[in-house]
Amino acid sequence: MNDAQSRASETSFPRSACPVTNTLDIIGDKWTLLVIRDLLLGKHLYGEMMQSPEGIASNILSNRLQRLEQAGLIVKRPYQSNPVRYEYHLTAKGQDLQPVLQAIVAWARRHVPGVVVFPEVKQDERNEDG
Amino acid sequence: MNDAQSRASETSFPRSACPVTNTLDIIGDKWTLLVIRDLLLGKHLYGEMMQSPEGIASNILSNRLQRLEQAGLIVKRPYQSNPVRYEYHLTAKGQDLQPVLQAIVAWARRHVPGVVVFPEVKQDERNEDG
DNA sequence: CTACTCGCTTGCATATTGCAAGTTATTGTC
DNA sequence: GACAATAACTTGCAATATGCAAGCGAGTAG
């Protein structure tokens, strides 16, 4: 075990007690924040998210929805039976990532030429506790 | 080519014109923002970043520094010769990610119990154009 | 019956990550 | 002057994650 790792293991966190690190352990990849973006934009069904322009693979979407549910950022609830099908909603914890998304959008508008911002985020979403 | 992909290819962007997507294509992984965090905290040398508590692997650090330089978020400049060694500094483009980091820290303080925020970010860094 | 849709799951090839050891150039120690 | 140490990487390789396409179960529509 090296110095950096032994320092990290002094805490109960997998990598370190840093807030950035622990947030990245949840949202630190190329797809998770796009799922959250879609949910903030009012998409709640698997098929709706599949249709987003990035073309997420179905196994990746499935995996990210599971991880987000486990992390308490979204809840999954049935919207029909026979066959039972689910819709996904952000919890308060998930919705609180909106400022992160907004900061990212602000950065991209300044520094990545040609990006097109999606329609305004809905403000009428209901909070769910997860 | 599916619907989502054909829609994406209507633009010159690899995945879509969404600002979130294009930012994630630069910083969307578990390590890149930690490197930027270290640079904001005043670490400028390879060895200093290696000592951060997360224990980044040396090949990953090397790779991320290269990618960040290519993306224009950092500049590499020699601080000695024989042997030549480099220090890394954020450009204005890189420093502008600070609000994203701050939003992440704010989220983690609200939602991830036990995290410990690092010392204040230095405000006396020089901007470099890259 | 047959075709079709939705919401996934599975198989498999490829790409990325993580760990450890090696390399290069130079300094400091005996 | 030989030898250990240091900084900044690079390389090799096993383990993990991703991307693509096809398959599947439970219905509905014609």
Side-chain angles (χ1 to χ4, degrees), chain A residues 5 45-47 58-59 62 66 76 79 85-86 88:
Chain A
Q5 285 170 327
L45 307 184
Y46 196 93
S58 58
N59 54 344
S62 174
Q66 283 176 44
K76 168 186 193 170
Y79 69 94
R85 275 179 191 159
Y86 300 93
Y88 301 90

Side-chain angles (χ1 to χ4, degrees), chain A residues 26-85:
Chain A
I26 302 172
I27 61 164
D29 70 278
K30 289 204 189 313
W31 292 109
T32 301
L33 277 181
L34 296 181
V35 173
I36 290 169
R37 173 204 67 186
D38 281 354
L39 290 163
L40 283 168
L41 290 170
K43 296 184 179 180
H44 299 290
L45 307 184
Y46 196 93
E48 289 175 331
M49 299 183 214
M50 283 298 294
Q51 285 165 42
S52 289
E54 292 82 11
I56 190 171
S58 58
N59 54 344
I60 303 292
L61 177 56
S62 174
N63 174 269
R64 294 305 187 276
L65 289 170
Q66 283 176 44
R67 301 206 318 198
L68 286 172
E69 198 188 1
Q70 280 178 28
L73 276 71
I74 66 175
V75 285
K76 168 186 193 170
R77 64 172 178 227
Y79 69 94
Q80 71 165 44
S81 38
N82 293 322
V84 64
R85 275 179 191 159

Side-chain angles (χ1 to χ4, degrees), chain B residues 7-125:
Chain B
R7 230 170 301 125
S9 69
E10 285 162 15
T11 75
S12 60
F13 297 101
R15 294 202 292 173
S16 82
C18 173
V20 178
T21 307
N22 285 280
T23 304
L24 290 178
D25 284 345
I26 301 172
I27 60 163
D29 71 276
K30 289 203 190 312
W31 292 109
T32 301
L33 277 182
L34 295 182
V35 173
I36 291 169
R37 174 204 67 185
D38 281 353
L39 290 164
L40 282 168
L41 290 170
K43 296 183 181 181
H44 299 291
L45 307 185
Y46 197 91
E48 289 174 331
M49 301 184 213
M50 282 299 292
Q51 284 166 41
S52 289
E54 292 81 14
I56 190 171
S58 57
N59 54 342
I60 304 291
L61 176 57
S62 174
N63 174 271
R64 292 305 186 279
L65 289 169
Q66 282 177 45
R67 301 207 318 199
L68 286 171
E69 197 188 2
Q70 279 177 28
L73 275 72
I74 66 175
V75 285
K76 170 186 193 169
R77 64 170 178 230
Y79 69 93
Q80 72 165 43
S81 40
N82 293 323
V84 64
R85 280 186 188 152
Y86 300 94
E87 58 187 9
Y88 300 91
H89 287 262
L90 289 166
T91 62
K93 185 176 178 180
Q95 282 185 54
D96 275 0
L97 283 171
Q98 200 176 317
V100 175
L101 269 295
Q102 285 169 340
I104 288 174
V105 170
W107 183 86
R109 286 172 67 96
R110 281 195 63 184
H111 294 290
V112 185
V115 293
V116 180
V117 179
F118 279 22
E120 263 300 299
V121 170
K122 284 188 181 179
Q123 294 302 328
D124 58 74
E125 298 290 320

